[in-house]
């Protein structure tokens, strides 16, 4: 009789001990292997910023010239994605009082990078794409696609550093007289970006990237310093350096660009 009475209680006790032990074991495993697995989030999510940049120079008289540089930068942050968009336009023409103006620069460039945030803070997978149409490089247009590993090494109140590296492919359409220089195919793309913010509102940005292929390596460096004028308006000084190891005979391997422009933050 006693065995029949206490048998259900004994079974329940054994089940409780088994469940509790299983729960404790699961908690221990999560503590050991997933202690730092929290979503990679920023302070403000969702967040969207949009900046517009414009620089204009017009000359008349003995020397007739005009140049325009415009750019749009956007940064979109969500719980799972971190996206950066860029589009820029450069146009320049020059001449004299007795001659017509000739176009000396005409370039359109756009790029986008999408980082998917992993569970470990700062670690991500990225997808990248760009398109360039420059009339003075010997190409009709070219585009690149890449994907791989990205990481935000740190981000604090003053500075931020991030990098990405991965394989990709570049597509190039050369001009008719430069068919011998194609340089398209599989590449390895790497980029790094450093930002620093002063309490006064001034900002420093250093960006470098390289696309290495079998026949050509394309690299780009951009250094910029901006300071607030008032409200959402800022003055920006930038220096861009572009280099390629294999270019057409009439195209320089190294090109530089220095500009001063007004930047307005829309959002």
């Amino acid at each position: 009789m006693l065995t029949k009475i206490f048998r259900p209680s004994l079974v329940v006790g054994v089940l409780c001990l088994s469940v509790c032990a299983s729960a404790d074991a699961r908690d221990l495993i999560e503590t050991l292997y997933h202690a730092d697995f929290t979503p990679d989030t920023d302070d403000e999510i969702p967040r969207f910023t949009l900046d517009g940049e414009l620089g204009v120079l017009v000359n008349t008289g003995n020397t007739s010239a005009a140049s325009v540089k415009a750019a749009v930068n956007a940064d979109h942050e969500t719980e799972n994605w971190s996206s950066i968009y860029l589009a820029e336009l450069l146009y320049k023409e020059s001449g004299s009082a007795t001659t017509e103006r000739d176009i000396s620069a005409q370039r359109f460039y756009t790029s986008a990078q999408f980082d998917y945030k992993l569970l470990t803070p700062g670690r991500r997978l990225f997808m990248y794409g760009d398109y360039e149409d420059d009339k003075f490089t010997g190409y009709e247009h070219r585009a690149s696609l890449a994907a791989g590993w990205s990481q935000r090494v740190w981000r604090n109140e003053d500075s931020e550093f991030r990098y990405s590296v991965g394989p990709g492919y570049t597509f190039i359409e050369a001009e008719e007289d430069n068919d011998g220089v194609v340089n398209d195919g599989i590449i390895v793309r790497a980029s790094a970006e450093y930002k620093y913010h002063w309490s006064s509102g001034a900002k420093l940005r250093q960006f470098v990237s390289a696309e290495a292929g079998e026949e050509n390596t394309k690299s780009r460096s951009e250094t910029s310093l901006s300071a607030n004028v008032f409200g959402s308006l800022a003055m920006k000084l930038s220096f861009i350096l572009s280099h390629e190891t294999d270019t057409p005979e009439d195209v320089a391997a190294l090109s530089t660009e220095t500009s001063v422009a007004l930047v307005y933050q829309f959002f």
Side-chain angles (χ1 to χ4, degrees):
M1 180 66 67
L2 291 175
T3 304
K4 292 182 179 180
I5 293 175
F6 289 102
R7 184 176 297 170
S9 301
L10 179 61
V11 173
V12 172
V14 170
L15 289 175
C16 289
L17 290 174
S18 177
V19 172
C20 292
S22 177
D24 291 341
R26 185 172 63 253
D27 292 341
L28 179 60
I29 292 174
E30 291 179 353
T31 301
L32 292 176
Y33 297 99
H34 301 282
D36 58 347
F37 273 39
T38 57
D40 179 14
T41 59
D42 289 290
D43 298 335
E44 302 177 15
I45 291 181
R47 185 181 77 244
F48 180 76
T49 60
L50 177 64
D51 297 339
E53 177 183 335
L54 179 62
V56 178
L57 174 64
V58 178
N59 288 347
T60 59
N62 295 328
T63 300
S64 179
S67 63
V68 176
K69 180 182 179 181
V72 175
N73 297 274
D75 186 345
H76 190 201
E77 200 80 31
T78 65
E79 184 176 355
N80 297 317
W81 291 90
S82 177
S83 306
I84 300 175
Y85 310 92
L86 168 66
E88 61 182 24
L89 172 68
L90 175 64
Y91 180 84
K92 182 179 180 181
E93 59 180 27
S94 59
S96 64
T98 58
T99 61
E100 295 183 356
R101 291 183 177 181
D102 294 325
I103 299 175
S104 56
Q106 185 175 345
R107 176 176 179 268
F108 174 74
Y109 175 81
T110 182
S111 67
Q113 179 165 326
F114 308 92
D115 288 3
Y116 178 74
K117 302 176 181 179
L118 301 177
L119 292 177
T120 305
R123 299 181 181 180
R124 308 167 178 187
L125 299 177
F126 84 91
M127 296 177 290
Y128 172 86
D130 66 24
Y131 174 84
E132 182 181 30
D133 186 350
D134 192 335
K135 301 301 182 184
F136 296 91
T137 58
Y139 305 112
E140 289 289 341
H141 57 263
R142 54 185 170 187
S144 299
L145 294 174
W149 176 263
S150 178
Q151 183 174 358
R152 191 182 67 191
V153 181
W154 78 77
R155 179 175 183 265
N156 52 42
E157 296 179 356
D158 299 325
S159 63
E160 175 183 354
F161 178 75
R162 59 196 295 176
Y163 74 91
S164 61
V165 59
Y169 197 92
T170 182
F171 310 85
I172 295 178
E173 182 177 345
E175 295 179 349
E176 294 182 359
D177 55 348
N178 289 320
D179 290 339
V181 183
V182 178
N183 294 331
D184 58 352
I186 296 175
I187 60 170
V188 175
R189 173 180 168 81
S191 66
E193 182 183 42
Y194 173 76
K195 294 180 180 179
Y196 189 86
H197 305 266
W198 282 275
S199 57
S200 60
K203 301 177 183 179
L204 171 68
R205 177 178 180 265
Q206 175 63 56
F207 174 82
V208 292
S209 67
E211 297 179 359
E214 183 178 358
E215 299 181 356
N216 184 43
T217 298
K218 176 186 174 184
S219 57
R220 175 185 172 94
S221 172
E222 180 178 351
T223 306
S224 63
L225 179 63
S226 62
N228 288 343
V229 179
F230 60 86
S232 299
L233 190 65
M235 183 73 72
K236 178 181 177 181
L237 171 65
S238 62
F239 176 72
I240 299 175
L241 184 150
S242 301
H243 182 267
E244 293 192 53
T245 57
D246 187 18
T247 60
E249 294 182 358
D250 57 344
V251 176
L254 176 65
S255 62
T256 62
E257 177 186 324
T258 304
S259 63
V260 178
L262 288 175
V263 178
Y264 184 81
Q265 183 174 347
F266 296 97
F267 303 104

PDB file of all heavy atoms in Angstrom, residues 215-230:
ATOM      1  N   GLU A 215      45.472  41.616 -63.142  1.00  0.00           N
ATOM      2  CA  GLU A 215      46.249  42.514 -63.983  1.00  0.00           C
ATOM      3  C   GLU A 215      46.276  43.954 -63.486  1.00  0.00           C
ATOM      4  O   GLU A 215      47.098  44.743 -63.936  1.00  0.00           O
ATOM      5  CB  GLU A 215      45.687  42.498 -65.410  1.00  0.00           C
ATOM      6  CG  GLU A 215      45.745  41.131 -66.073  1.00  0.00           C
ATOM      7  CD  GLU A 215      45.199  41.162 -67.487  1.00  0.00           C
ATOM      8  OE1 GLU A 215      44.712  42.239 -67.898  1.00  0.00           O
ATOM      9  OE2 GLU A 215      45.255  40.132 -68.170  1.00  0.00           O
ATOM     10  N   ASN A 216      45.387  44.303 -62.584  1.00  0.00           N
ATOM     11  CA  ASN A 216      45.291  45.701 -62.161  1.00  0.00           C
ATOM     12  C   ASN A 216      44.904  45.795 -60.697  1.00  0.00           C
ATOM     13  O   ASN A 216      44.122  44.975 -60.191  1.00  0.00           O
ATOM     14  CB  ASN A 216      44.254  46.433 -63.016  1.00  0.00           C
ATOM     15  CG  ASN A 216      44.179  47.912 -62.695  1.00  0.00           C
ATOM     16  OD1 ASN A 216      45.201  48.574 -62.519  1.00  0.00           O
ATOM     17  ND2 ASN A 216      42.974  48.443 -62.622  1.00  0.00           N
ATOM     18  N   THR A 217      45.451  46.774 -60.012  1.00  0.00           N
ATOM     19  CA  THR A 217      45.076  47.074 -58.631  1.00  0.00           C
ATOM     20  C   THR A 217      44.626  48.527 -58.568  1.00  0.00           C
ATOM     21  O   THR A 217      45.389  49.434 -58.908  1.00  0.00           O
ATOM     22  CB  THR A 217      46.242  46.841 -57.658  1.00  0.00           C
ATOM     23  OG1 THR A 217      46.618  45.465 -57.691  1.00  0.00           O
ATOM     24  CG2 THR A 217      45.828  47.204 -56.238  1.00  0.00           C
ATOM     25  N   LYS A 218      43.416  48.724 -58.135  1.00  0.00           N
ATOM     26  CA  LYS A 218      42.821  50.057 -58.051  1.00  0.00           C
ATOM     27  C   LYS A 218      42.693  50.442 -56.579  1.00  0.00           C
ATOM     28  O   LYS A 218      42.113  49.705 -55.783  1.00  0.00           O
ATOM     29  CB  LYS A 218      41.447  50.056 -58.723  1.00  0.00           C
ATOM     30  CG  LYS A 218      40.686  51.355 -58.610  1.00  0.00           C
ATOM     31  CD  LYS A 218      39.293  51.189 -59.192  1.00  0.00           C
ATOM     32  CE  LYS A 218      38.436  52.419 -58.965  1.00  0.00           C
ATOM     33  NZ  LYS A 218      37.047  52.210 -59.442  1.00  0.00           N
ATOM     34  N   SER A 219      43.237  51.582 -56.198  1.00  0.00           N
ATOM     35  CA  SER A 219      43.182  52.035 -54.809  1.00  0.00           C
ATOM     36  C   SER A 219      42.665  53.467 -54.746  1.00  0.00           C
ATOM     37  O   SER A 219      42.826  54.242 -55.689  1.00  0.00           O
ATOM     38  CB  SER A 219      44.557  51.933 -54.144  1.00  0.00           C
ATOM     39  OG  SER A 219      45.521  52.674 -54.870  1.00  0.00           O
ATOM     40  N   ARG A 220      42.073  53.798 -53.609  1.00  0.00           N
ATOM     41  CA  ARG A 220      41.478  55.115 -53.415  1.00  0.00           C
ATOM     42  C   ARG A 220      41.626  55.518 -51.959  1.00  0.00           C
ATOM     43  O   ARG A 220      41.433  54.701 -51.046  1.00  0.00           O
ATOM     44  CB  ARG A 220      39.993  55.096 -53.807  1.00  0.00           C
ATOM     45  CG  ARG A 220      39.216  56.386 -53.528  1.00  0.00           C
ATOM     46  CD  ARG A 220      37.749  56.177 -53.854  1.00  0.00           C
ATOM     47  NE  ARG A 220      36.913  57.299 -53.445  1.00  0.00           N
ATOM     48  CZ  ARG A 220      36.572  58.308 -54.245  1.00  0.00           C
ATOM     49  NH1 ARG A 220      37.004  58.324 -55.500  1.00  0.00           N
ATOM     50  NH2 ARG A 220      35.796  59.283 -53.805  1.00  0.00           N
ATOM     51  N   SER A 221      41.997  56.766 -51.736  1.00  0.00           N
ATOM     52  CA  SER A 221      42.116  57.313 -50.389  1.00  0.00           C
ATOM     53  C   SER A 221      41.391  58.643 -50.338  1.00  0.00           C
ATOM     54  O   SER A 221      41.553  59.483 -51.227  1.00  0.00           O
ATOM     55  CB  SER A 221      43.588  57.498 -50.016  1.00  0.00           C
ATOM     56  OG  SER A 221      43.710  58.205 -48.795  1.00  0.00           O
ATOM     57  N   GLU A 222      40.601  58.832 -49.304  1.00  0.00           N
ATOM     58  CA  GLU A 222      39.864  60.092 -49.123  1.00  0.00           C
ATOM     59  C   GLU A 222      40.056  60.591 -47.693  1.00  0.00           C
ATOM     60  O   GLU A 222      39.713  59.902 -46.734  1.00  0.00           O
ATOM     61  CB  GLU A 222      38.385  59.927 -49.420  1.00  0.00           C
ATOM     62  CG  GLU A 222      37.588  61.208 -49.251  1.00  0.00           C
ATOM     63  CD  GLU A 222      36.122  61.057 -49.586  1.00  0.00           C
ATOM     64  OE1 GLU A 222      35.742  59.996 -50.116  1.00  0.00           O
ATOM     65  OE2 GLU A 222      35.351  62.001 -49.311  1.00  0.00           O
ATOM     66  N   THR A 223      40.596  61.795 -47.577  1.00  0.00           N
ATOM     67  CA  THR A 223      40.773  62.450 -46.284  1.00  0.00           C
ATOM     68  C   THR A 223      39.928  63.717 -46.273  1.00  0.00           C
ATOM     69  O   THR A 223      40.033  64.538 -47.188  1.00  0.00           O
ATOM     70  CB  THR A 223      42.243  62.815 -46.045  1.00  0.00           C
ATOM     71  OG1 THR A 223      43.059  61.650 -46.195  1.00  0.00           O
ATOM     72  CG2 THR A 223      42.438  63.383 -44.656  1.00  0.00           C
ATOM     73  N   SER A 224      39.101  63.870 -45.272  1.00  0.00           N
ATOM     74  CA  SER A 224      38.229  65.045 -45.211  1.00  0.00           C
ATOM     75  C   SER A 224      38.153  65.586 -43.794  1.00  0.00           C
ATOM     76  O   SER A 224      38.220  64.832 -42.821  1.00  0.00           O
ATOM     77  CB  SER A 224      36.820  64.706 -45.720  1.00  0.00           C
ATOM     78  OG  SER A 224      36.202  63.744 -44.895  1.00  0.00           O
ATOM     79  N   LEU A 225      38.011  66.901 -43.710  1.00  0.00           N
ATOM     80  CA  LEU A 225      37.866  67.601 -42.438  1.00  0.00           C
ATOM     81  C   LEU A 225      36.735  68.601 -42.587  1.00  0.00           C
ATOM     82  O   LEU A 225      36.736  69.419 -43.513  1.00  0.00           O
ATOM     83  CB  LEU A 225      39.157  68.323 -42.066  1.00  0.00           C
ATOM     84  CG  LEU A 225      39.161  69.131 -40.767  1.00  0.00           C
ATOM     85  CD1 LEU A 225      38.946  68.215 -39.561  1.00  0.00           C
ATOM     86  CD2 LEU A 225      40.457  69.919 -40.628  1.00  0.00           C
ATOM     87  N   SER A 226      35.757  68.524 -41.710  1.00  0.00           N
ATOM     88  CA  SER A 226      34.597  69.414 -41.785  1.00  0.00           C
ATOM     89  C   SER A 226      34.379  70.114 -40.451  1.00  0.00           C
ATOM     90  O   SER A 226      34.701  69.565 -39.394  1.00  0.00           O
ATOM     91  CB  SER A 226      33.334  68.635 -42.181  1.00  0.00           C
ATOM     92  OG  SER A 226      33.033  67.646 -41.207  1.00  0.00           O
ATOM     93  N   ALA A 227      33.852  71.321 -40.527  1.00  0.00           N
ATOM     94  CA  ALA A 227      33.571  72.121 -39.330  1.00  0.00           C
ATOM     95  C   ALA A 227      32.231  72.815 -39.508  1.00  0.00           C
ATOM     96  O   ALA A 227      31.906  73.292 -40.609  1.00  0.00           O
ATOM     97  CB  ALA A 227      34.676  73.144 -39.088  1.00  0.00           C
ATOM     98  N   ASN A 228      31.458  72.865 -38.449  1.00  0.00           N
ATOM     99  CA  ASN A 228      30.144  73.501 -38.509  1.00  0.00           C
ATOM    100  C   ASN A 228      30.271  75.007 -38.726  1.00  0.00           C
ATOM    101  O   ASN A 228      31.099  75.672 -38.104  1.00  0.00           O
ATOM    102  CB  ASN A 228      29.361  73.242 -37.223  1.00  0.00           C
ATOM    103  CG  ASN A 228      28.892  71.807 -37.117  1.00  0.00           C
ATOM    104  OD1 ASN A 228      28.860  71.084 -38.112  1.00  0.00           O
ATOM    105  ND2 ASN A 228      28.542  71.393 -35.911  1.00  0.00           N
ATOM    106  N   VAL A 229      29.428  75.536 -39.608  1.00  0.00           N
ATOM    107  CA  VAL A 229      29.326  76.980 -39.811  1.00  0.00           C
ATOM    108  C   VAL A 229      28.217  77.524 -38.928  1.00  0.00           C
ATOM    109  O   VAL A 229      28.432  78.405 -38.104  1.00  0.00           O
ATOM    110  CB  VAL A 229      29.069  77.303 -41.288  1.00  0.00           C
ATOM    111  CG1 VAL A 229      28.938  78.800 -41.494  1.00  0.00           C
ATOM    112  CG2 VAL A 229      30.194  76.759 -42.153  1.00  0.00           C
ATOM    113  N   PHE A 230      27.041  77.005 -39.106  1.00  0.00           N
ATOM    114  CA  PHE A 230      25.927  77.264 -38.188  1.00  0.00           C
ATOM    115  C   PHE A 230      24.823  76.266 -38.496  1.00  0.00           C
ATOM    116  O   PHE A 230      24.631  75.865 -39.644  1.00  0.00           O
ATOM    117  CB  PHE A 230      25.392  78.703 -38.319  1.00  0.00           C
ATOM    118  CG  PHE A 230      24.888  79.041 -39.693  1.00  0.00           C
ATOM    119  CD1 PHE A 230      23.587  78.756 -40.082  1.00  0.00           C
ATOM    120  CD2 PHE A 230      25.721  79.661 -40.615  1.00  0.00           C
ATOM    121  CE1 PHE A 230      23.124  79.067 -41.336  1.00  0.00           C
ATOM    122  CE2 PHE A 230      25.267  79.975 -41.880  1.00  0.00           C
ATOM    123  CZ  PHE A 230      23.958  79.685 -42.250  1.00  0.00           C
TER     124      PHE A 230
END
